[in-house]
Amino acid sequence: MQLPESFILKMQDLLGDEFPSFLRSLEEPSQKGLTVNFSKISKNNFEKIADFKLSPVPLVNNGYFVENFKFGEHILNHLGIIYSQEPSAMYPVELLDIEKGDFVLDLCASPGGKSIQILEKLDGTGFLLSNEIVYSRAKLLYENLNKMGFKNFAISCNSPKDFENINIKFDKIIVDAPCGGEGMIRKNNFDMSSYKQSNIETNAKRQLEILNSIKHLLKDGGKIVYSTCTYDRRENEGVIENFLENNLDFEIIGNKDFEKIASTGISDNKEIAQSSYRRYPHKHKGEGQFMILMQKLGNEEIENTNRLPNTFSILYRNSLKDFERNFTSIANIKDLNIAKRNNSYFALPENYPNLEKLNILTIGCLIGTQEKTFKISHQFYRTYSRLFLNKVDLDLENAIKYLKGEELDSDRKNGIVVVTHKNIPLGGGKIANEKLKNYYPKELRI
């Protein structure tokens, strides 16, 4: 591997005698991993049916190392049970210590691995605002979160600056900041031609600006994790040194367990050095990662209130009754809180914050869209399968055929159905003339 001389000199200085081991590790394949959505399957059942080699990631209850595994076509992926995630990238969410009922912000969320981890931990409670500044990446985030069947989240497409005048308070925030990406050098998709030392000071300035833009969003007593996938001290400990110097209402929180799976930081500030964590490929099973946990001081209690952007309108009375007719003999949706935006309809989470001033792309679960007729979304089949009146449960052979887009024989009565495997939803379909017409989206088929 041809490495920039400036990178080599910097890592020699950071690692000293360990540098030769680090350099050799960059020639080894990157470590693969996945997280498991245990709201859909028990841990014991998952480990029994997993037909590939796996071993647990330390401190990550639902994280596994995997080998020789083709993720994209696996049935567990299409069931929304697993998500492919690099092992070191799992740890910032673990450090944040998510609890059920928390209101959480994932500020730089795409492609969605950390948001999925957060939603797995919330287990249907609380709320996640998953934000991505770049619209094309926000669309990818939307696709990844939707296929997992979660319903207590919204996706926004805003810059950190947009949050400066927003009055929302979160229990937990994660800032996985845009960075130089040095920790990803041995991954196949790392663009070595884009690596420039001159970008690092610019990155550090932007990272500090991001923290300062969203610091007021944290409740008193709330916690924030700052993380990167780079090694440079200026983008890691240096950013935190500058932030804490000017924000005396924040303190660092260490976690002794993390000293078992990471090296401590590099700083003249002893507290930052001892309570920040670095992972290196020559010492830890995964790629490069930096992370630190901070807490906001104070004890003021604040309640969030449900409020949608003015582009959304909640359905009431006659409008709601008219809409429910779309589901006659299909599903019982009378207990859903439903909102409309243009021709799209959403099942809202039970709780959410004041989202009025944000660019919200989606909230809760997209039920469907009104075109010439009403079309139920793939997400709704996946997320609210329990509401459907008719279900077809397929064995593995027929489930694979369904995922390929094939039409299947069926002796069930005619009508719209939710299609499942082992009672876990795959998608939708329509039975007519003893055939199951396939509604699995073409772009997802195997």
Side-chain angles (χ1 to χ4, degrees):
M1 180 183 295
Q2 187 68 36
L3 296 172
E5 183 179 1
S6 58
F7 175 74
I8 292 174
L9 293 173
K10 175 171 61 180
M11 296 310 295
Q12 285 176 328
D13 183 54
L14 285 177
L15 295 173
D17 293 342
E18 294 181 18
F19 178 74
S21 297
F22 169 77
L23 199 59
R24 286 192 296 271
S25 74
L26 298 185
E27 300 298 334
E28 299 170 359
S30 59
Q31 175 63 55
K32 302 295 189 294
L34 57 82
T35 58
V36 184
N37 185 1
F38 284 140
S39 66
K40 288 193 172 186
I41 191 172
S42 72
K43 188 169 187 173
N44 285 339
N45 283 342
F46 168 73
E47 293 181 351
K48 284 179 183 176
I49 68 173
D51 56 351
F52 45 88
K53 186 176 180 181
L54 75 165
S55 57
V57 176
L59 300 185
V60 184
N61 180 57
N62 66 333
Y64 293 87
F65 301 111
V66 293
E67 298 178 17
N68 302 320
F69 175 56
K70 293 183 178 180
F71 176 82
E73 296 188 359
H74 202 281
I75 184 71
L76 293 176
N77 171 37
H78 289 269
L79 288 167
I81 289 175
I82 59 174
Y83 181 81
S84 179
Q85 190 171 17
E86 192 277 310
S88 290
M90 300 176 188
Y91 283 109
V93 171
E94 293 300 323
L95 187 60
L96 190 53
D97 190 26
I98 303 292
E99 298 175 307
K100 290 184 179 181
D102 279 344
F103 271 44
V104 186
L105 169 64
D106 184 357
L107 185 69
C108 312
S110 189
K114 292 177 177 62
S115 284
I116 287 171
Q117 268 188 282
I118 292 165
L119 288 164
E120 287 165 348
K121 291 179 177 298
L122 290 176
D123 193 22
T125 69
F127 178 81
L128 169 69
L129 180 60
S130 190
N131 180 73
E132 172 57 45
I133 185 174
V134 180
Y135 180 72
S136 60
R137 288 173 57 80
K139 288 178 64 178
L140 175 61
L141 175 65
Y142 174 80
E143 293 166 4
N144 285 333
L145 267 61
N146 282 347
K147 74 177 184 180
M148 304 298 289
F150 300 120
K151 57 189 176 184
N152 53 322
F153 72 94
I155 293 177
S156 57
C157 185
N158 289 91
S159 74
K161 284 284 185 183
D162 293 339
F163 285 91
E164 290 184 357
N165 297 313
I166 300 295
N167 186 27
I168 306 176
K169 296 296 180 182
F170 294 94
D171 300 287
K172 310 282 170 63
I173 296 175
I174 184 164
V175 177
D176 188 45
C179 65
E182 295 170 343
M184 298 292 110
I185 275 181
R186 72 174 179 176
K187 295 193 75 172
N188 292 334
N189 60 353
F190 184 82
D191 183 9
M192 189 68 73
S193 64
S194 68
Y195 179 82
K196 294 179 181 178
Q197 284 287 310
S198 59
N199 293 337
I200 291 173
E201 292 292 347
T202 300
N203 290 343
K205 181 180 178 182
R206 178 177 57 179
Q207 290 152 353
L208 183 59
E209 288 173 349
I210 289 172
L211 284 177
N212 282 318
S213 291
I214 55 88
K215 62 188 179 184
H216 69 287
L217 301 177
L218 199 63
K219 291 180 180 179
D220 286 356
K223 297 175 182 177
I224 181 170
V225 160
Y226 173 80
S227 63
T228 74
C229 58
T230 199
Y231 300 118
D232 198 285
R233 202 195 69 79
R234 288 167 290 179
E235 294 188 64
N236 295 328
E237 294 91 347
V239 170
I240 300 304
E241 290 165 3
N242 288 333
F243 179 76
L244 292 176
E245 183 179 346
N246 295 291
N247 293 279
L248 301 181
D249 54 340
F250 281 79
E251 64 178 3
I252 302 168
I253 300 177
N255 185 322
K256 287 292 184 182
D257 287 339
F258 271 65
E259 294 178 14
K260 303 171 186 175
I261 55 88
S263 302
T264 51
I266 303 168
S267 174
D268 292 334
N269 182 313
K270 186 177 179 181
E271 187 180 12
I272 292 175
Q274 290 180 339
S275 299
S276 58
Y277 305 101
R278 287 172 163 260
R279 284 176 61 86
Y280 300 98
H282 69 292
K283 297 182 70 174
H284 312 106
K285 206 172 177 182
E287 307 310 303
Q289 186 78 46
F290 170 85
M291 66 204 107
I292 189 167
L293 175 65
M294 296 178 287
Q295 185 171 33
K296 187 178 181 182
L297 304 175
N299 54 16
E300 181 183 4
E301 294 187 7
I302 297 173
E303 294 294 328
N304 282 298
T305 56
N306 296 359
R307 198 167 295 174
L308 294 170
N310 58 17
T311 52
F312 290 79
S313 58
I314 295 177
L315 298 192
Y316 295 109
R317 296 175 184 168
N318 292 339
S319 296
L320 188 57
K321 288 181 180 179
D322 289 342
F323 180 75
E324 288 174 351
R325 292 192 185 100
N326 292 303
F327 287 86
T328 302
S329 301
I330 296 174
N332 181 3
I333 65 168
K334 64 181 180 63
D335 292 330
L336 297 180
N337 189 14
I338 299 171
K340 177 184 178 183
R341 184 183 61 192
N342 299 326
N343 293 326
S344 297
Y345 294 81
F346 301 82
L348 298 175
E350 182 177 347
N351 294 301
Y352 52 92
N354 182 349
L355 303 171
E356 281 185 323
K357 296 181 180 180
L358 293 172
N359 180 25
I360 300 297
L361 303 185
T362 185
I363 181 170
C365 174
L366 175 66
I367 301 173
T369 54
Q370 184 69 53
E371 299 171 353
K372 290 182 179 179
T373 59
F374 185 78
K375 182 179 179 181
I376 301 171
S377 77
H378 177 61
Q379 183 187 358
F380 192 69
Y381 288 113
R382 298 290 298 266
T383 306
Y384 284 96
S385 62
R386 61 182 175 79
L387 301 183
F388 282 80
L389 305 180
N390 299 301
K391 178 180 73 174
V392 174
D393 194 63
L394 303 177
D395 60 21
L396 181 59
E397 180 182 355
N398 282 310
I400 297 299
K401 290 180 179 179
Y402 172 80
L403 294 176
K404 290 180 178 179
E406 296 181 18
E407 190 176 81
L408 301 173
D409 294 329
S410 178
D411 58 1
R412 304 293 294 273
K413 68 178 182 179
N414 291 352
I416 300 294
V417 297
V418 63
V419 179
T420 64
H421 172 61
K422 295 185 180 295
N423 293 314
I424 301 171
L426 280 169
K430 182 179 181 179
I431 296 176
N433 302 319
E434 298 185 334
K435 293 289 184 181
L436 172 61
K437 184 178 180 181
N438 197 315
Y439 285 175
Y440 200 68
K442 291 181 179 179
E443 65 273 15
L444 299 179
R445 293 176 183 176
I446 62 177

